[in-house]
Amino acid sequence: MTTDGLELGKRTMIGASLAALMSCLALLLLATPPSSAAGGGCPNANANVGGLSKGQFRDSLTCLFNGERSAGNLVQNRDLTDAAQKRTNTMRSKECFAHQCPGEPGLKKRVENSGYTMGNDTKFGEILAIGPDSASPNDFLRAWLNSSDHRGQIKKSAYDDVGVGINLGRKNTLVTAVFGSN
């Protein structure tokens, strides 16, 4: 990975069935510099991630997600945030950039373990990214939007809730977004 790029990953689960698990997508995309108008009025959209609190980053990224959606706005959900933060911390501690690291449960179980209400019609998905600490929330968004699969997760009208996890390292930032609807 170069310092001007973001690496992404995506996994989706629809319903409670593991058969609906879509395959993981991991790729390297070069982040394009944001224009001066990029960020759509979202606070801290173009600030370096390393200078933001987790709350500021979550608020900014949620605002950016909502700016891309024609459906209703996503609402930050504490349980999904917990699942996303644990996912991000596990990737850092295990030095594993994947949707499931060795010895870790899959997405469905992680979402259930977070306390998120799971019913027959529950839908959820996960996207990942790794990028330099100098990247901004807008840089992460733009990289995800450059991938049709990631863009689909962000814009998916079936999702009502989102949780964002972030883990700053010495050289890179890991980000997980978990989307849900129940």
Side-chain angles (χ1 to χ4, degrees):
M1 183 189 84
T2 63
T3 59
D4 62 344
L6 300 174
E7 188 172 335
L8 309 177
K10 179 201 69 96
R11 176 176 281 176
T12 301
M13 295 187 76
I14 300 174
S17 170
L18 287 176
L21 181 63
M22 295 176 69
S23 63
C24 175
L25 172 66
L27 54 118
L28 180 66
L29 294 175
L30 295 178
T32 56
S35 70
S36 60
C42 295
N44 302 306
N46 294 312
N48 286 350
V49 173
L52 298 175
S53 70
K54 287 180 182 178
Q56 289 172 318
F57 181 81
R58 286 181 180 118
D59 290 348
S60 182
L61 196 55
T62 300
C63 177
L64 289 166
F65 286 156
N66 286 333
E68 295 297 325
R69 293 169 51 90
S70 58
N73 283 345
L74 294 166
V75 175
Q76 289 185 42
N77 177 280
R78 184 185 329 202
D79 295 331
L80 292 180
T81 296
D82 182 57
Q85 190 61 55
K86 285 179 180 174
R87 164 95 289 272
T88 307
N89 293 344
T90 296
M91 286 191 297
R92 175 75 67 203
S93 68
K94 293 190 177 212
E95 297 181 3
C96 169
F97 181 71
H99 288 283
Q100 186 173 0
C101 296
E104 178 186 37
L107 177 59
K108 179 182 182 214
K109 189 66 173 169
R110 291 193 313 266
V111 170
E112 287 175 339
N113 289 346
S114 76
Y116 193 70
T117 304
M118 301 291 284
N120 291 336
D121 295 332
T122 300
K123 296 172 177 55
F124 49 95
E126 176 181 80
I127 56 177
L128 310 174
I130 185 171
D133 290 347
S134 61
S136 68
N138 195 46
D139 291 332
F140 284 97
L141 176 73
R142 293 290 154 226
W144 279 321
L145 292 175
N146 282 331
S147 160
S148 62
D149 288 334
H150 295 88
R151 185 174 53 252
Q153 290 297 300
I154 293 165
K155 293 181 176 243
K156 192 169 190 164
S157 64
Y159 296 141
D160 301 314
D161 303 318
V162 67
V164 176
I166 179 172
N167 188 299
L168 292 163
R170 284 200 231 164
K171 297 180 184 177
N172 59 44
T173 298
L174 296 167
V175 179
T176 302
V178 178
F179 302 94
S181 178
N182 53 24

